[in-house]
Structures are given as C-alpha cells and as structure tokens.
Amino acid sequence: MIASEFLTIAGRALRDHCGADSVTVRAIEPTVHGPRVRWDGPLLHRERRRDTIPGGGVWIGPPAGPLLLNILSLATAFRWADGAPRCAKDWSERLARRYRRVFGPTGPATGPGWSWLWEAGAQAVKDAGIPSDFRTSDAKEKYGSARWYVEGDTSAAVDDVIDAVEHLSAHICEDCGAPGRIRQGGWLRCLCTRHAEGRLPTDE
C-alpha cells in the first residue's frame, strides 16, 4: 500500500521530468518519522533546471526530481507513522506548536489531507536551516494546490522545499492524503477518486 501510493503520486508529480520512468522503490524502512520509502531514480536530473532567457532573466524549472521524492518520502512516512492514516482535527494547531519557527502562531489553512505534506515541508525547512528572519505569512489552498507564502530571509534550499510542497500538493488529495488530481466543478480542488464526487480531472 505505501509503495503503491508513493509511486502513484511520484509518477504524476514527475510527469515532466526526464528519467521519471527510472524511479523504483528499493525498500520501506522504519525511521523516527515513520515508514520511509527508500527509492532509486538513476536517470533523474539531480539539479533544478535553470535557463537564461534571451534579453535577461532566468527561467526556473520545476523542483528537481530527487527533492520531490525526498519530500514525498517524508510526507508518506508521517502519514503512515501510526498505521492506517488518521488526521487529528487539530492537526494545524499541532503543526504550529511543533514547528513554531516555520509556521509562526498559526498553522496551514487547508484540508487535512495535506497535513503530512505540510509537516514534511516544515521538517525539510528545519533540516535545511531556518533563516534568521524567516516567516510564513500564509499557507493555504489556491486553484487546487497549496500556496506557501513567506517573508523575510530565505535561501535557495528553503525556496526549493517550498516549491516542492506546492508542486506535490497538486497530486495529493486535500481531503485524505491519497493520490489525487486537480478537478473541475465550481472551484478547482485536488481530490482522490473517492472524494471527487463525480468531478473530472482537469487534465482529461
């Protein structure tokens, strides 16, 4: 179940990445965060693509595949840490308390299905080194995916983590955390088939 969920989300999130078809699950190992997927992706580019734009400026591609898989692996570990996934009603407040330096006094304002992804993002920001003046100004849903707005100091590593969380959220059900797709129907939401209530994916 864990490997299947990981590979489904990874396959969708890496759709535009070269070498995505080389990704496999090597093992699922117990860690302090939960059962962590150990993956291989020998053909994935290790660095984020950056191209110079004629006339000035730089085009920045999506987050690098290995970073996306590492964040997804951590989110999956948090999701399955206590057996079958269950999200506490006060998950956002708990995250705000646990990662006060990342989120400040209030946690993300989204559905519970992204709680483990937000947790993985916060842990990755902490591991990368929280800049001294870093502050989350808002963490919410917009147009079917997460938006993580920050103020103050930042770094390339932290920026990449934030972009990875936003990118992955477009492939994870906001209601339950299972593999999802952004779906039409009044307003865009990323939902799994069970929670879609007949809404069709925008990419079909």
Side-chain angles (χ1 to χ4, degrees):
M1 177 70 86
I2 294 174
S4 174
E5 181 177 283
F6 175 87
L7 288 172
T8 298
I9 296 170
R12 294 172 183 173
L14 296 174
R15 184 172 51 192
D16 298 324
H17 287 67
C18 292
D21 56 355
S22 71
V23 174
T24 58
V25 170
R26 184 172 73 245
I28 299 173
E29 300 173 349
T31 71
V32 294
H33 300 305
R36 190 92 189 252
V37 173
R38 300 301 180 190
W39 55 271
D40 281 318
L43 301 182
L44 282 175
H45 291 295
R46 313 312 279 183
E47 300 295 328
R48 189 170 190 172
R49 186 174 171 184
R50 289 174 166 84
D51 294 332
T52 302
I53 300 172
V58 177
W59 175 84
I60 301 176
L67 175 62
L68 289 172
L69 293 180
N70 285 336
I71 298 292
L72 177 59
S73 172
L74 185 54
T76 303
F78 284 131
R79 178 168 150 77
W80 292 92
D82 298 317
R86 290 183 185 84
C87 187
K89 289 184 179 180
D90 63 343
W91 67 270
S92 186
E93 291 82 358
R94 292 186 184 196
L95 277 188
R97 288 194 298 270
R98 193 176 308 135
Y99 296 99
R100 179 76 58 174
R101 286 279 325 279
V102 176
F103 291 121
T106 58
T110 66
W114 289 346
S115 62
W116 302 286
L117 180 59
W118 287 118
E119 187 173 7
Q123 184 64 49
V125 166
K126 182 179 175 182
D127 292 343
I130 304 171
S132 59
D133 195 30
F134 177 91
R135 187 173 79 86
T136 295
S137 57
D138 205 357
K140 63 182 183 180
E141 178 275 334
K142 186 175 182 180
Y143 300 127
S145 60
R147 295 292 187 274
W148 190 347
Y149 300 105
V150 300
E151 297 175 352
D153 292 338
T154 187
S155 66
V158 169
D159 287 343
D160 285 348
V161 168
I162 290 170
D163 288 349
V165 167
E166 293 182 342
H167 184 91
L168 285 166
S169 69
H171 309 284
I172 295 172
C173 177
E174 188 183 356
D175 282 358
C176 72
R181 286 192 165 117
I182 294 181
R183 298 175 185 269
Q184 325 168 32
W187 63 95
L188 298 177
R189 291 197 68 205
C190 188
L191 299 167
C192 64
T193 303
R194 184 165 66 92
H195 288 107
E197 297 179 345
R199 298 181 184 200
L200 296 176
T202 58
D203 56 0
E204 285 186 1

